Amino acid sequence: MNNKMEELYWEAEADIRNSSYVEAFRKYETILYEEPGNGPTLNSLGWLYKTQIEDYKKAEKFYLACISSSPNYPHAYINYAVLLTDMERYEELTTHLGKCLTVSTIEKSTVYLRFGIMEELKLNFKDAIANYEKAILMSLSDEKIKECQDHVARCKTKMELGKQYSS
């Protein structure tokens, strides 16, 4: 990214923080006109389409374009995983998260956290706990470890609740 486009990108990111989504969108479009395969910009447009417009098809298109053009840019992988989770496309999510484990720039604790969330949503609490524990093992962040411990505790509560209703 040249200096002018990089500056424009950071301005767009500031627009996002200030909820000036239209301004950010325009700046991202300008960047893509100059640099069509710009990974961070493609990812940010995917995020805008998913979170602000709720157009999941367009968001998916931008995330996949980012992954294709910038295979070491980690954020699009995780954002795409969240999109697949929200759409309950678990088979695709499993494949995608498996791929994420092979990308060196992606924090592995985040990948296992996403596996855990998927399994919890599928009511597979033992598998969810196992993945949350893997996330703990791979994490260097006390905050993330605490978050995963909370997820494990919640799954244990759900397992106990499930026992009450199954008998």
Side-chain angles (χ1 to χ4, degrees):
M1 194 178 325
N2 69 44
N3 287 343
K4 183 179 177 185
M5 291 301 108
E6 191 171 325
E7 185 177 315
L8 195 58
Y9 175 80
W10 290 116
E11 287 175 15
E13 292 293 296
D15 289 338
I16 295 286
R17 286 188 297 281
N18 294 322
S19 300
S20 299
Y21 303 117
V22 172
E23 287 302 314
F25 181 83
R26 288 182 182 139
K27 289 171 182 165
Y28 292 140
E29 288 289 308
T30 299
I31 295 167
L32 287 183
Y33 181 77
E34 295 290 323
E35 299 178 16
N38 183 281
T41 301
L42 291 165
N43 175 66
S44 293
L45 279 168
W47 182 88
L48 272 175
Y49 275 106
K50 181 189 178 291
T51 63
Q52 303 307 308
I53 302 172
E54 296 184 8
D55 185 334
Y56 284 30
K57 274 189 166 185
K58 281 189 180 176
E60 181 173 16
K61 179 183 109 180
F62 281 108
Y63 290 145
L64 291 174
C66 178
I67 290 167
S68 176
S69 70
S70 302
N72 289 321
Y73 186 75
H75 305 292
Y77 289 93
I78 301 306
N79 288 339
Y80 184 52
V82 172
L83 178 98
L84 291 172
T85 301
D86 290 350
M87 296 176 70
E88 299 179 5
R89 289 166 48 187
Y90 299 130
E91 197 170 301
E92 291 169 77
L93 178 59
T94 299
T95 301
H96 175 69
L97 290 173
K99 179 181 178 184
C100 289
L101 289 172
T102 70
V103 178
S104 63
T105 55
I106 298 175
E107 185 183 346
K108 303 311 180 262
S109 63
T110 301
V111 177
Y112 286 114
L113 176 67
R114 298 309 313 173
F115 269 124
I117 290 168
M118 176 185 68
E119 293 300 341
E120 185 176 353
L121 290 170
K122 292 167 46 179
L123 306 179
N124 298 329
F125 301 118
K126 286 183 181 179
D127 291 338
I129 290 169
N131 280 292
Y132 291 139
E133 289 173 346
K134 286 179 188 175
I136 290 169
L137 290 170
M138 298 301 292
S139 182
L140 298 175
S141 161
D142 292 338
E143 185 177 305
K144 185 171 274 185
I145 289 170
K146 174 71 172 113
E147 177 187 352
C148 290
Q149 288 170 331
D150 290 345
H151 291 316
V152 168
R154 183 181 58 248
C155 284
K156 288 180 179 178
T157 299
K158 290 179 178 183
M159 287 172 65
E160 286 301 314
L161 190 60
K163 288 177 189 174
Q164 289 177 3
Y165 286 102
S166 66
S167 52

